[in-house]
Amino acid sequence: MGAFIAILLGGLGFVSPNNAAAQNETRVAKGVVTAARTWEVSSAIDGRISAIHFSEGMYVQEGTLLVEIDDTQSQLELALARAELKRAEAVLAQSLEDLQRHEELIKRNAVSEAVYSDVKFAHEMAVLGLEAEKLELGIAEKRQSFHSIHAGLSGMISAPKVHSGTNFSVALSGAIASIVQLDPIHVRMKVALDTALARLQAGNYSLEDVRNLKFELSLPDGATFEHLGKPVAVGYELNPETGEGSVLIEFANPSGVLRPGLPVSLKIAGN
């Protein structure tokens, strides 16, 4: 197992001692904490920012109200859509009464087929009119929802890039803030991919072996982090000059000790 770990550590780009006395020392890799997920706080509509409900460094829960955009116009549109729906309901109710009355009249030959057809058509139009107003109300409600921006995930939020009273433009203003998920969180570790792949192909170890590895993390002050990590992904970027890529190690981080940008050290647990 010791030889296997030595091969694996070398393949993953861990620091390897280059003198005989140091061969038994624990091999260590450097890494940088990075967010597992981020979410941009932004608006789908233009408008004046009427309220900001967060400040830099706050921990926000998914669904928390973050920003409100002035909704004076959309409230009027919503009220109008509701009124139009009520009007369409009244028109439909009246058309149904007319249709029922003319159905009795046509049975007694007390009204012409042409008149009955007109009444029936008016009722069908009233049914369609009601459906159209329901859709208009749904659109108005959706537009109204755009005026309240809620957190898309739980995490730490950056400083707002706008202020209350600012006129926000979807095309020009960019993100209002960013939320970084802290739990779980990733550590990006550089790897020599060509070496690792060559050893995988040679059968020195398997991908399953790598997936089952657990990693210990040391903080900059030398303290050992309380949770073990596991490899979850290979970074998509490759340095064309060095041939280095990266592996992402995921750690539970319920206390929020690990923050993006923090330099850390890694080693395989038990090594």
Side-chain angles (χ1 to χ4, degrees), residues 156-211:
M156 185 174 64
I157 194 165
S158 69
K161 300 176 183 177
V162 297
H163 305 284
S164 295
T166 300
N167 289 318
F168 182 87
S169 167
V170 174
L172 302 175
S173 299
I176 296 172
S178 299
I179 299 175
V180 175
Q181 178 180 283
L182 294 180
D183 185 29
I185 202 161
H186 289 168
V187 173
R188 185 177 297 276
M189 178 181 68
K190 290 184 178 180
V191 298
L193 287 181
D194 54 349
T195 304
L197 290 174
R199 290 175 177 176
L200 279 169
Q201 293 169 351
N204 291 325
Y205 53 89
S206 69
L207 286 174
E208 190 61 30
D209 292 326
V210 177
R211 293 190 188 100

Side-chain angles (χ1 to χ4, degrees), residues 7 54 74 135 148 151 182 184 245:
I7 293 172
F54 68 91
S74 69
L135 291 174
S148 298
L182 294 180

Side-chain angles (χ1 to χ4, degrees), residues 36 181 184-187 215 228-233 248-252:
Q181 178 180 283
I185 202 161
H186 289 168
V187 173
F215 287 82
L228 296 178
K230 61 180 180 180
V232 292
L248 295 175
I249 313 298
E250 185 172 275
F251 289 85

